[in-house]
Amino acid sequence: MASRTSSYKVVLLGEGRVGKTSLVLRFCRDTFVDGQPPTIQASCLERALRLGDKTVNLVIWDTAGQERFHALGPIYYRDADAALLVYDITDTDSFKRIQVWVRELRKMVGDSIQLSIAGNKSDLERQRVVSRQEAAEYADSVGAHYAETSAKQNRGLDELFSSMGKRLLASREEKLGSPALGSGPASTRRSRGAAMVLIDDEPPASSSSSRCC
Amino acid sequence: MQLPRCFRSPGGSSCCRGRWAAAYMRRSSSTSASSLCARVSYGQRACPTRSVASLLGRSAARGSTFAPSHRPLVNTTDWLDSAIDSLSLKEVGAPALGSNEMVIGGDGDLESKERAGAGAEAKGGGGADADTSTPRCGRRSARRSARGGDARASGASGTWHRGLPGRGGDASVPRGRASHAIAVRRAATVRAGAAQLGAFSIQPRGGAGGPVHMLREWLRPSSSHPLAQLLHSRAADFATRFEPAIHAANAALTAARAAARATGPGAGAGSGRQRAFTVGVHSGSSQLGREFTVAQPTGSLEETMSVCSMGETISMGSVGDGESPFAGENLGGNLGGNLGGNLGGNLGGNLGGNLGEGEGPFAGGAVGPNGAGTGPLGPISMWEANRQMEDAVKEVLAMQEVLDESLIAQLPALREYSALLPAAALFDCASEAIFEVAWPTLRTLYTAMCAEPDAIYRQQLVEMRALLPQHLGLRKELWLLPTGPDPALRAYLWTLPPPQTDSSFAERAEWAERAEALRERTVLRASRLIQQAWRGRACGPLGCGPYRRTVNALREMSACSTPLHKAERVLRALNFLTLECGKVLQAEASSDEIAADELLPLFVFVLIRAQVPQLYSQARFIADFLPKQHALGRHGYCLATLQAALQYLMETSWAAVLQVRELNGH
């Protein structure tokens, strides 16, 4: 029971050109098979993290970051367990955009969502315009985890996601009391109409076949 | 799984298939009957047991020397003997055989039967009697009939048993002198062998295995299984409970139609183009055949697009400027037609009578002329508002819950059919059965409750019909400019203005401004040209324009009746979209994957090209009922993308699209 996988929905927010997609693609790349025809795998990714004796399954939903699609955000981040906000350390606007999203998330989703802020393109240190201290202070003030990453050089990604996974596990244990209840927060928290049976828990032999991503 | 009609072979092609089968048999005479049977009965579709059957057939036909090493088929003849001995048992339908032989599902049975029947007919009608003798299982009889025809044809040609081992292991059967009986027996032997191999090598590939099929059998209306009884009693309760609601919904729709007719030309004021829309709901047989076409009094050109889906006929008249990209298209071609049958049944009776009362819970809500269209909808409110059919949703979900619980109780019984239970597939199967019975009611409710957003959606489809990928800020590679009409223009569009290095700042600014204006004008002109080039393409029944596979996948959505199937169509569409973009981008040597930043705007574009009728209510339907275990995964993501694209489409005006300055990609 202790090692059961639980799935979490992570929504990926960030402006168009901050490299959020390449960040996540880099992180999840080892789950890809090269030579496959492209599918929407680039937009809806899944990656299992092993944290101690537990496995955390992160389902990462990419979003369109352009300003004109800003109003569509709630469709994606509804029921998300965590949000990964990516900005470009060489672009002040992208950092301001992050702050807009944080306010919106706190307002629409509440405090239950775990926030992580990633300053991407840390390899371009010379062109930096958003200082590390400023970003870290902001992250502290909104209760988010902050990390600087480089998708190009594959830096800081593991730390970012494992910290996210740990906080997800901790918040869930806190919320439920016991981690053995329910298969995933997304299925326990939202109840549209009548509560559904958590069906992939029922037959023990088949739990591996019911993953859909 | 319910296959849409375009996937099934139409009446004519089964005959072709039969002829093809005959030719195939003549050509490769050493290929055995069972391989042929497998091909005939499954057609070109992928099937779990097909490869096994053909594998076995081939190896049995060529004797043990060609037996594949991974299969323990050393002593071919003994094995075939035992297969013959057990043949009689299998012919009457032993459960073990039945459980895996019907893996493909109930819907294919009839089709394969007629295909195989045609195949036998093409070879002389040898199997016709066998075909009619066992109507119980179409697939089995299909195989038998094909086998009969096969045997007869081979007896005539006399070359069929060249490669077959005899019963004693020798292949020295006198050529050309085999009697009909022997040929039949041989064919039966090979066939039974294939069945036996299939019996022990059944794999639940892709979640479809024996248990799933058994569950499907249990849930049939004619079945006496407790699960079926539970389901159908609940379904009957559901139907009676929502009967007044359906009547009210229909009354509301009738009123809405009347209102739209009365205020028709004036309704579309604001954008300079005159248009009006009318929804006609033809539920079941009671209203079938009525069609609503809104004729514009002031138009010189009228384009009428008759879209048939979800059992409804919507006629959309768009009048005035004659540059609609949808001229001369007939959407109804591949979508319509297959729906009349399965939708007409339950609902027809309910709706025949009193449509006049109109005082039910739905009377007021659906008729408002432009309530949600004028004010900006909140981001979530569009999907969360209008919750009056919550009762129906709750009821169906409760039904699902009860059925799921009973299904869990039945899992040990299902385990007999396979040690490995594909749980997700089982529960999907149960949910499919629920929607089979609840869909007619739900369809009417959703149509009525979502009439207003659906009307907005239709208006927007016309308003945004000139939208091109470049309007959404997509990079040039994804515009998919047609190469034909104007290569010079295309080349011009792809060239950015040259950089000015040695001039003053003011000069440069002025130049940039002028260049920008010129470029915008050119892009607009180009898009008009492209629009003309694309007229009638990407929307026709054959779908021959860019992103056509995506468009076609989306159009199949209306024909599906379960939320999961609908979501699967969206998933397919998005996968096709990514695939098509990947091809283009590879050719252009940029990165070969597109992510959400480009997927969403492209999907908006594709939605406009696809013209899926009543997409809003369909999306609502998926959102309300998509099973929880899929909500987090790809199906959920596809649903979110669909909702987002739809919301963008419905809340953006054409003027706002044109105002955005990033006309040229970046």
Side-chain angles (χ1 to χ4, degrees), chain A residues 95-141:
Chain A
F95 186 60
K96 283 184 185 146
R97 209 53 210 290
I98 292 293
Q99 304 175 5
V100 176
W101 261 307
V102 168
R103 276 199 298 277
E104 196 177 309
L105 282 172
R106 288 289 181 223
K107 195 175 125 208
M108 308 284 289
V109 187
D111 291 335
S112 63
I113 189 166
Q114 298 291 324
L115 300 183
S116 291
I117 295 177
N120 199 23
K121 306 195 187 175
S122 66
D123 48 306
L124 300 175
E125 187 64 42
R126 277 186 301 176
Q127 301 164 35
R128 173 194 285 273
V129 290
V130 182
S131 77
R132 182 187 287 263
Q133 193 194 356
E134 181 191 355
E137 277 171 8
Y138 174 71
D140 270 349
S141 71

Side-chain angles (χ1 to χ4, degrees), chain B residues 134-449:
Chain B
T134 52
R136 197 174 52 80
C137 172
R139 189 164 305 285
R140 199 171 303 146
S141 69
R143 281 178 184 156
R144 209 189 303 166
S145 70
R147 184 206 325 141
D150 197 353
R152 183 178 283 261
S154 65
S157 69
T159 57
W160 176 66
H161 28 252
R162 186 167 34 190
L164 255 188
R167 281 196 64 192
D170 58 336
S172 61
V173 179
R175 191 174 298 181
R177 286 178 51 203
S179 70
H180 178 61
I182 290 180
V184 169
R185 191 171 167 81
R186 292 255 159 77
T189 306
V190 178
R191 170 70 202 93
Q196 200 183 44
L197 182 63
F200 64 75
S201 69
I202 175 71
Q203 293 290 330
R205 215 177 84 184
V212 174
H213 189 267
M214 279 324 289
L215 180 62
R216 203 166 280 157
E217 286 288 301
W218 288 355
L219 289 169
R220 288 246 158 99
S222 54
S223 156
S224 62
H225 197 271
L227 274 183
Q229 285 171 0
L230 175 78
L231 169 69
H232 292 287
S233 69
R234 291 289 295 231
D237 289 349
F238 178 76
T240 47
R241 186 179 155 190
F242 286 96
E243 207 177 339
I246 284 191
H247 285 179
N250 276 294
L253 282 169
T254 316
R257 278 200 297 269
R261 225 181 245 171
T263 63
S271 71
R273 296 187 184 114
Q274 289 174 336
R275 59 187 185 271
F277 304 95
T278 309
V279 193
V281 179
H282 303 233
S283 305
S285 57
S286 61
Q287 300 183 355
L288 210 67
R290 250 201 273 168
E291 194 171 276
F292 293 89
T293 306
V294 180
Q296 295 296 310
T298 56
S300 59
L301 169 77
E302 178 171 344
E303 297 160 357
T304 302
M305 188 169 66
S306 181
V307 180
C308 180
S309 119
M310 297 172 75
E312 295 153 20
T313 304
I314 302 160
S315 292
M316 185 166 79
S318 111
V319 179
D321 50 1
E323 62 165 4
S324 160
F326 312 123
E329 292 148 6
N330 182 11
L331 260 187
N334 48 2
L335 287 183
N338 54 344
L339 294 161
N342 50 0
L343 293 180
N346 302 13
L347 211 52
N350 288 349
L351 296 174
N354 42 0
L355 292 175
E357 47 183 60
E359 283 302 317
F362 302 107
V367 201
N370 51 2
T374 50
L377 289 174
I380 292 190
S381 68
M382 190 175 119
W383 296 100
E384 299 295 328
N386 199 0
R387 268 296 185 192
Q388 291 135 0
M389 55 190 165
E390 230 171 35
D391 282 350
V393 175
K394 269 184 195 160
E395 184 79 8
V396 172
L397 288 179
M399 205 196 290
Q400 208 160 7
E401 189 185 352
V402 169
L403 193 67
D404 284 350
E405 272 167 13
S406 326
L407 179 57
I408 288 167
Q410 296 286 342
L411 282 181
L414 281 172
R415 205 173 288 267
E416 282 176 20
Y417 296 98
S418 162
L420 190 64
L421 279 184
L426 284 177
F427 285 99
D428 289 347
C429 178
S431 131
E432 202 176 304
I434 288 176
F435 284 102
E436 213 163 273
V437 292
W439 166 244
T441 309
L442 288 173
R443 183 176 55 85
T444 312
L445 286 181
Y446 273 82
T447 310
M449 294 315 301

Side-chain angles (χ1 to χ4, degrees), chain B residues 40 108 119 529 666:
Chain B
V40 166
L529 280 179
H666 302 296

Side-chain angles (χ1 to χ4, degrees), chain A residues 2-208:
Chain A
S3 66
R4 187 163 64 205
T5 309
S6 46
S7 287
Y8 294 94
K9 174 174 161 184
V10 181
V11 67
L12 185 62
L13 296 167
E15 219 176 50
R17 268 159 239 291
V18 298
K20 58 178 167 14
T21 305
S22 52
L23 185 117
V24 177
L25 277 182
R26 167 70 88 168
F27 175 65
C28 300
R29 185 54 80 177
D30 55 345
T31 63
F32 274 41
V33 182
D34 282 340
Q36 264 189 349
T39 59
I40 69 157
Q41 263 178 335
S43 309
C44 175
L45 296 126
E46 191 164 344
R47 167 83 195 254
L49 277 183
R50 190 111 188 116
L51 297 172
D53 61 341
K54 298 198 176 67
T55 309
V56 175
N57 201 28
L58 299 178
V59 184
I60 303 171
W61 286 27
D62 197 0
T63 63
Q66 295 96 318
E67 182 74 43
R68 66 167 86 197
F69 297 124
H70 187 91
L72 310 176
I75 293 174
Y76 287 97
Y77 60 65
R78 188 182 349 178
D79 298 316
D81 301 295
L84 175 58
L85 301 127
V86 187
Y87 73 94
D88 182 352
I89 63 165
T90 66
D91 184 359
T92 325
D93 286 345
S94 68
F95 186 60
K96 283 184 185 146
R97 209 53 210 290
I98 292 293
Q99 304 175 5
V100 176
W101 261 307
V102 168
R103 276 199 298 277
E104 196 177 309
L105 282 172
R106 288 289 181 223
K107 195 175 125 208
M108 308 284 289
V109 187
D111 291 335
S112 63
I113 189 166
Q114 298 291 324
L115 300 183
S116 291
I117 295 177
N120 199 23
K121 306 195 187 175
S122 66
D123 48 306
L124 300 175
E125 187 64 42
R126 277 186 301 176
Q127 301 164 35
R128 173 194 285 273
V129 290
V130 182
S131 77
R132 182 187 287 263
Q133 193 194 356
E134 181 191 355
E137 277 171 8
Y138 174 71
D140 270 349
S141 71
V142 295
H145 173 255
Y146 175 72
E148 296 224 329
T149 57
S150 166
K152 196 172 167 190
Q153 299 174 351
N154 199 1
R155 269 201 319 231
L157 295 178
D158 289 339
E159 186 253 331
L160 173 74
F161 282 101
S162 63
S163 144
M164 179 191 285
K166 277 177 201 152
R167 285 183 307 134
L168 280 170
L169 276 180
S171 79
R172 168 142 160 252
E173 279 172 23
E174 187 184 309
K175 199 185 297 171
L176 292 181
S178 130
L181 290 175
S183 77
S187 52
T188 54
R189 192 178 60 225
R190 177 166 50 152
S191 62
R192 188 196 290 127
M196 283 286 296
V197 185
L198 301 174
I199 60 179
D200 53 357
D201 287 351
E202 218 26 62
S206 67
S207 60
S208 63

Side-chain angles (χ1 to χ4, degrees), chain B residues 101-134:
Chain B
E101 207 182 21
M102 296 179 278
V103 157
I104 317 304
D107 293 325
D109 286 349
L110 189 66
E111 167 201 14
S112 67
K113 185 173 172 180
E114 68 184 33
R115 262 191 214 157
E121 201 181 344
K123 295 186 230 62
D129 48 350
D131 202 349
T132 52
S133 63
T134 52

